[in-house]
Structures are given as C-alpha cells and as structure tokens.
Amino acid sequence: MAAVRNHAGFKMAALLGPAIVLGAQLSSASPLALRSSSKSSDSFWPWMIVALVVGGILTLISKYFEGERTKKIEELARSHGFTFRHTPTAADSELPLGCYLTETGRNPAVSNVLEVARTDELHFVLFEYEYTVGYGKSQHTTRQTIGRLRAPLLKLPSFLLFPETLFSKIGVMFGRTDVNFPDSPGFSDQYILRGEDEPALRAIFSPALRNALAPLDHLTIEGADDTLFIFRTDRRVKPDDLISRIEEDKKILALFFEAQQANERRA
C-alpha cells in the first residue's frame, strides 16, 4: 500500500466519517423517532462517539504511514551521504522563497528537507512543501516535492514553465502570454511558457532542452538568475523514486547550462 496515496484517503475518511455515520443514523430512523427530540438526542451521541473513535484511528494510521515515509527518506539520505532534516530550520523555511507557490494558499509548511549537494558550484535541496486552499468542505491541502537548485554560474531569464491545461489555455485566450516553438510542437502542446523577455526565453530553451522536457508529464519549472525550482504540483516523490528524481533534476540543470554556454559562444 503506497503511503502517499493513502494519506489523502485517510484524511478524507476522517473528515467524512462523522457525516457518513450521522447520515446512516438519520436514514434508518423512523418518522416518529425524528419527531422525538429526546430519543434522537439519546441515539445521536453513541453514533457520534463511534465516529470520533473511527476518525481518531484513521488519523493515527495516517500518521503511521507518514512516519514510515520519513524513515525511508532518512535511510536513503544516510546510505547516499545526504543531509536530512524532517523538521526544518529557520533557513529551511525560506527555501520556497522565489517560487510562485509561496503566493498560493495559506498555512505553508516545509518538511523532509534532503540536502543533496552543498558546494560553491551547486546547492541542491529537495524538500516537501504544503499549503491549504479553500474553506470548509472544499478545503484541500496541496503537497509536493520541490527541487531547488542554485548554481552561481547560472544566469537565467525569469520564467515559469507549467503543464498546459484547459484553464491555462483560457488564460492565453484572454491575453496571457505563451511562448511557442513551431519546430517543437510536442513541447508547445505540453507546456505553457511565460516570461517578460521572450527573446531570452527562446535562446535559453534550446532544442535539446525542449526535446528532453516534452515527455515529462506534469512538470513545472520556475527559474530566475541562478536558481531553478522543479516540481510536479500536488505530487510528492515516493522515497524509492528519489534517486531517479535527483538525476532527472540534475539533467535538467545541465541542459540549461549547455544552452547558456551555447548562447555565450554565439554572442
């Protein structure tokens, strides 16, 4: 059973448990019982207690799987010589700064910080970031694993690349920009690319970079100056897939470097 998938299911069950139990009680009650406030009150509380107990059990199960997830990440970090922090430091809490997600939702939180590299040439960190949107029954907590790569030699134009959806297409129809590449129709169909300096974007998104990104589903990349953020919205990386994710992010960084160097040689 995958902990990542079960987390949302357990939380939803915990939230809906009281409503489901209460609905079952009301549907099975007779008209006479519904008219009798004293009898309905007497029968309500046992059901509510059961619902609260079930909700508490589901919450404990969810916490168990989250704990197992954290243990696996910690074990991976130890075996590969990475630095791992489940509870973020003050500096870790600032890792998302510069990413547009910090302007989305409320109750932001950073956790499971995996420091892959910290050298003069590259500071590479994977961390989990969550925030909440909506209220009441429509409330939803979004969680994703974000790769933050900072390389002082990198000089990127400010841009945001994200999957093309129906809503993003509507945004383009109402005047929001989307930089397309006629020689890469697959890439242009897959992604929306936005930024203030279109010539610089066309220069940095080389054919090799576009070809590498085209088959990667649900990918979002935000870049500016010497920093890249790479993630898939509302998706956390399974602990067993973290190494492949690290390699994928490094490859994307290398492609940006290659495109930058090619532009510098042409200048």
Side-chain angles (χ1 to χ4, degrees):
M1 183 182 298
V4 178
R5 292 194 299 269
N6 286 337
H7 178 77
F10 290 142
K11 184 173 182 180
M12 185 61 68
L15 293 171
L16 294 179
I20 293 172
V21 172
L22 180 58
Q25 177 213 352
L26 293 176
S27 64
S28 61
S30 66
L32 181 60
L34 291 174
R35 287 195 297 268
S36 175
S37 59
S38 62
K39 290 183 178 180
S40 63
S41 177
D42 291 341
S43 62
F44 172 81
W45 288 109
W47 283 105
M48 180 57 70
I49 292 172
V50 170
L52 291 174
V53 170
V54 171
I57 292 173
L58 292 175
T59 299
L60 290 175
I61 293 174
S62 176
K63 287 183 177 180
Y64 168 79
F65 281 109
E66 283 299 301
E68 289 299 299
R69 173 184 174 82
T70 298
K71 287 180 182 178
K72 288 183 179 180
I73 298 175
E74 190 171 12
E75 290 170 1
L76 179 140
R78 190 182 301 112
S79 64
H80 287 80
F82 302 149
T83 300
F84 175 73
R85 294 179 291 276
H86 172 60
T87 302
T89 64
D92 291 335
S93 297
E94 296 181 355
L95 286 170
L97 294 181
C99 179
Y100 85 93
L101 289 180
T102 58
E103 301 175 3
T104 304
R106 63 187 186 282
N107 302 327
V110 172
S111 63
N112 289 340
V113 179
L114 187 67
E115 198 165 27
V116 177
R118 190 181 186 94
T119 66
D120 292 338
E121 292 78 23
L122 175 64
H123 186 203
F124 181 9
V125 182
L126 283 172
F127 61 96
E128 294 179 7
Y129 181 71
E130 68 176 58
Y131 57 90
T132 301
V133 295
Y135 295 90
K137 294 181 180 180
S138 62
Q139 179 173 297
H140 173 68
T141 298
T142 296
R143 299 176 175 87
Q144 49 268 305
T145 302
I146 299 179
R148 182 183 185 273
L149 299 92
R150 183 176 179 273
L153 294 178
L154 200 61
K155 296 177 178 61
L156 295 171
S158 179
F159 72 89
L160 177 62
L161 179 81
F162 58 97
E164 185 166 286
T165 64
L166 174 61
F167 294 106
S168 61
K169 290 179 180 178
I170 291 174
V172 171
M173 290 172 60
F174 283 91
R176 296 186 180 181
T177 60
D178 177 21
V179 179
N180 286 311
F181 298 85
D183 58 332
S184 297
F187 175 84
S188 296
D189 288 342
Q190 187 80 10
Y191 294 109
I192 296 286
L193 175 60
R194 291 177 178 163
E196 296 296 328
D197 191 343
E198 183 173 333
L201 291 182
R202 292 189 178 279
I204 199 68
F205 277 85
S206 65
L209 176 59
R210 282 178 264 143
N211 290 337
L213 296 180
L216 301 180
D217 292 335
H218 306 289
L219 189 68
T220 294
I221 305 177
E222 186 171 7
D225 299 323
D226 61 356
T227 304
L228 280 173
F229 292 97
I230 306 174
F231 59 95
R232 289 168 172 84
T233 303
D234 208 10
R235 295 189 179 192
R236 294 192 298 174
V237 180
K238 297 178 182 178
D240 291 343
D241 295 336
L242 279 169
I243 296 302
S244 61
R245 166 62 188 272
I246 289 169
E247 295 305 315
E248 180 181 273
D249 287 1
K250 285 182 176 180
K251 180 180 179 181
I252 291 172
L253 174 64
L255 288 167
F256 275 105
F257 264 125
E258 291 172 6
Q260 176 179 299
Q261 291 170 349
N263 292 335
E264 291 171 352
R265 287 193 295 269
R266 288 194 293 268

